[in-house]
Amino acid sequence: MSVRILALVGSLRAGSHNRQLAEAAAKLAPEGAEVVLFEGLADVPFYNEDIDVEGDVPAAAAALRAAAQGADAFLLFSPEYNGTMPAVLKNAIDWLSRPYGAGAFGGKPVAVIGTAFGQFGGVWAQDDTRKSVGIAGGKVIEDIKLSIPGSMTRFAQTHPVDDAEVAAQLTEVVARLHGTAAEITAA
């Protein structure tokens, strides 16, 4: 059985280390797992109930919801902006939490990881992301954690997939998320 894992990256920067981490996750996914990066978070308008009208949802938000509905699990990549998650990631969570009680996360497994320039690798942002996505209906796997500090120096010349330590840790994260999603889907 194939498990589709939707990756949401909280950084819009072209050279984002979190995006590179997501690309590495896609390359390192075990057999039977497909990690798909959602393109287009920059185009999703800020959540507003006035524009979240059935049959008239903005196209970018509808595309995000469709991708999320087709996913078996989620892998969120969060840098840390001013001590918390970036607005683009929070906005995606807000769109996916609706309609109330029937959001796209719907009990699906979610892991939150990432890298940041600071010495703790974005732990605060990742903790806030876990809290938010859990409230939004995701089944957060609390013990899957990967916070890589010093991203600007560590990945200055090396893509995360070529960093043996990071590749091993990332492989374990994706394998565990895949296993959890496969168990839930089979049940």
Side-chain angles (χ1 to χ4, degrees):
M1 160 184 258
S2 181
V3 171
R4 185 177 181 91
I5 300 169
L6 185 64
L8 301 178
V9 180
S11 174
L12 302 176
R13 189 171 61 85
S16 162
H17 296 120
N18 279 284
R19 178 172 179 86
Q20 291 176 0
L21 205 58
E23 293 166 352
K27 287 181 183 177
L28 298 168
E31 188 174 329
E34 177 188 21
V35 176
V36 178
L37 276 72
F38 181 80
E39 304 290 349
L41 283 185
D43 301 324
V44 178
F46 280 113
Y47 184 78
N48 176 344
E49 284 184 84
D50 292 341
I51 62 172
D52 187 7
V53 178
E54 188 174 341
D56 199 26
V57 172
L64 173 62
R65 283 181 173 164
Q69 288 294 345
D72 300 303
F74 298 89
L75 185 53
L76 279 54
F77 295 83
S78 184
E80 190 166 277
Y81 292 176
N82 298 312
T84 192
M85 76 179 100
V88 69
L89 191 54
K90 177 63 168 78
N91 189 49
I93 293 168
D94 290 345
W95 275 103
L96 295 176
S97 73
R98 301 284 195 251
Y100 182 76
F105 288 116
K108 295 176 184 176
V110 181
V112 180
I113 63 172
T115 185
F117 179 65
Q119 65 180 338
F120 301 115
V123 227
W124 291 344
Q126 293 161 33
D127 286 346
D128 287 348
T129 303
R130 284 182 195 92
K131 176 184 175 187
S132 183
V133 77
I135 290 169
K139 179 180 172 35
V140 177
I141 306 170
E142 293 288 345
D143 65 338
I144 294 181
K145 295 185 179 181
L146 178 57
S147 303
I148 305 164
S151 61
M152 298 299 278
T153 51
R154 182 161 194 162
F155 302 125
Q157 301 297 321
T158 304
H159 191 285
V161 78
D162 298 320
D163 180 311
E165 180 185 14
V166 170
Q169 293 170 327
L170 194 53
T171 298
E172 176 66 19
V173 164
V174 176
R176 289 196 53 218
L177 181 57
H178 168 255
T180 302
E183 287 174 16
I184 290 172
T185 305

